[in-house]
Amino acid sequence: MYFGTDYYPEHWVYPYAGTPEEPESRWQRDAELMVAAGINVVRMGEFAWGLYEPEEGKYDFDWMKRAMDVMANTGIQVMLGTPTAAPPIWLAKKHPEILPLDDHGLPKHEGTRKAYCMNSSVYWDYCKKIITELARTLGKHPQLIAWQIENGLGGHNTESSFNEETRRDWHSWLKAKYETIERLNELMGTRFWTQTVTRFEDVPMPMTAPTVFNPALVLDWMRFSSDTIVAFVKMQADLLHELTPGIPVTNNLRALTRCFDHFDVADALDFVGVDSNATIKSKSSENACGIDMLRSLKKSNINTPGGDSGFWVVEQKSGNVNWQEVNSLVRPGVVRLFTYQCISRGATGVLYFLWRQARIGSEKFYGGVLTHDGRGENRVYREISHIGDEIKLLAPALRGTRVVAETCILFSHENEWAMQHGPQPNRYFNQREHIQLFYNALHDRNIPVDFARPTEDLSKYKMVIAPSLKLLAGGEADLLKLYVQNGGTLVGTFNTGLVDEHHIAPDNGYPHDLTDLFGMEVLEFDPLPPGEENHLTFKGAFPTSHLHPAKLWCDLIEPKECQILATYAKDFYTGRPAMTMNTFGLGKAIYIGTMSHQHFYYDLIVWLRQLCNLYPLLKVPDTVEVSLREKEDTKIYFLLNHQNSPVRIQFYKPMHDFLTGSTLQGNHDLPPHGVLVLDEQVVPKAEPEPAA
Ligand code: GLA
């Protein structure tokens, strides 16, 4: 396990720390405090370009080498950032064309981070130069174990820019995709409002305009902008692989919140690195969902420092953030709880953002491991040190273990873009909320979940949930059919198969290419405003703990071969099917034509669990989150109490508590925000010594 922190040595020189005679003398004290807290890795330098190259071509990496040497003295290893998220001011002054233009064609100015257009070849050249110098100078430093490429990809709404160079790249991208202008006109549907073009060079970028662009054009724009980001990451990854072979590269991704394809970015990386913003206000299952999404970005070809599997949390917030309306303190025990939440879901490295609250800049009141005083006597430092002690205990047992899920939720960025841009049948429908309803039900019943793109191999999953795949490519539909044909259970929903990959609506019924799989056809759909509800009437063995409403969207289903599980209870479609099940090949395809409240999804999971032989990891009270990491004959359970009050857990068989070494059996009270790490290998009590 790697346990670390994000360290900015450049913040801790005279006059902010140190002395005029020894401006960097604080660094040694920092390293000592880190070691005492169990820290074995630091991430440094992701914004350091302006110090590495204060003037064009004049490089100074010595200060960072000295910082790395200080780390070496205490055995701490180093992840270095490429500094391309914060270009120096001289670069923008010399080449103002690198500044990104917004959708009004206005520049976003220099003087902060992220002020560059990722299509700028000038910017690419400067990035390559600084990365090459950096890798040549520090790439062989014995402490270096990983690179972080860039920082905060797409952050501050920088996924797209509208520069002239972007326009040229956009046109080349379209040419590569469509080959002929006739094909582009046909597949993009430019006859609508007769926006046909005769040359690729005339295809607009979706800049500010009187009304909406053709959603097919916007979808391509999103794909193009994503491909631009992926190419930028790949350029850096390729360069680093060439210059420092064997040193893996990562990035700090957020839980699929930015407008680029996170799966594609992960493909370009050796391992996934993530930012975790967990605070006391976040719901545990929302955090868990984010972590599972991020873990799922890379399921194979993982190459972490040290060779373990999993992912790293390269920024685990160690305290309050600074971007909320009110940035309350994170309560005692909560950082520990969220650290274990990440570890329990597969993290093999956790680094806290940030080591010490900065005295300068816009993030000076962000929570840190150390407070401004740097003394190491503060509450959070003590908490982190306590976690550090525990990690030392746990690391050997965790090595090689990973999360294994038999259930999967499908997620595709293209699909989400199709639901975010352009007019929608129901603006109040939110795909993430829809996913979260399914996820919460699985999470609260302690059933592990992966996320996957519809194009992945799904055969290892007993159950696949596919919430609202509005955009469904023909090839994706075929793969879903294959999965069910071979014995899988697929759960599909309303708002599926309404357009193909070209954003063209089908003429063979909804959900397109899947009507045979579900054994029915959706003839019409009735979006409902918030607050208006229909109701579901169930048939057969579906367990109903509550009356279940139908909200936001009601599909009007024409059943063919399928079995009807529930019908609507009112309006002109009273008695028409709302939920169906069809046997297809060796498997089953379930269709839910509406959205309901959380209780419905709890009942659904109870029913599906039996149908698919899925078992909860452990039987514990609902408020306790359980996760499992496993390898061959080892199963390590994590139990997390997200409540402010103690929870009583009953252990029917003895469990070994890793953190205390004791054996738990019978009743155990897990304190507020408490954590248990357990396995079933109970250490036999030592026989009393025979009397002499
Ligand atoms: C991201 C960045 C950090 C920091 C935090 C603040 O995680 O990577 O540099 O700015 O945001 O929220």
Side-chain angles (χ1 to χ4, degrees), residues 667-680:
N667 286 338
H668 178 83
D669 288 330
L670 190 55
H673 310 312
V675 172
L676 285 174
V677 185
L678 307 172
D679 73 0
E680 288 169 3

Side-chain angles (χ1 to χ4, degrees), residues 6 8 43 46-47 113 148 150-153 156 252 254 258 274-277 314-315 317 321-323 353-354 362-363 366:
D6 302 316
Y8 299 93
R43 183 195 68 176
E46 74 274 16
F47 301 118
R113 62 183 179 184
Q148 178 185 297
E150 256 274 326
N151 188 80
L153 284 170
H156 313 307
N252 57 336
R254 296 253 171 125
R258 304 253 159 89
V274 315
D275 277 8
S276 159
N277 270 323
V314 292
E315 289 189 21
K317 301 306 180 286
V321 295
N322 76 343
W323 39 259
F353 183 87
L354 70 182
S362 59
E363 293 182 341
Y366 219 105

Side-chain angles (χ1 to χ4, degrees), residues 397 401 628-636 658 679 681:
T401 59
L628 174 67
R629 284 178 57 157
E630 56 185 293
K631 69 174 175 198
E632 296 103 46
D633 53 350
T634 310
K635 282 183 189 291
I636 300 180
F658 274 98
D679 73 0
Q681 303 188 349

Side-chain angles (χ1 to χ4, degrees), residues 192-193 195 206-207 209-215 217-218 421-423 427:
F192 184 76
W193 292 343
Q195 298 299 302
M207 299 181 73
T211 184
V212 289
F213 280 87
N214 190 328
L217 179 140
V218 178
H421 298 277
R427 265 275 155 231

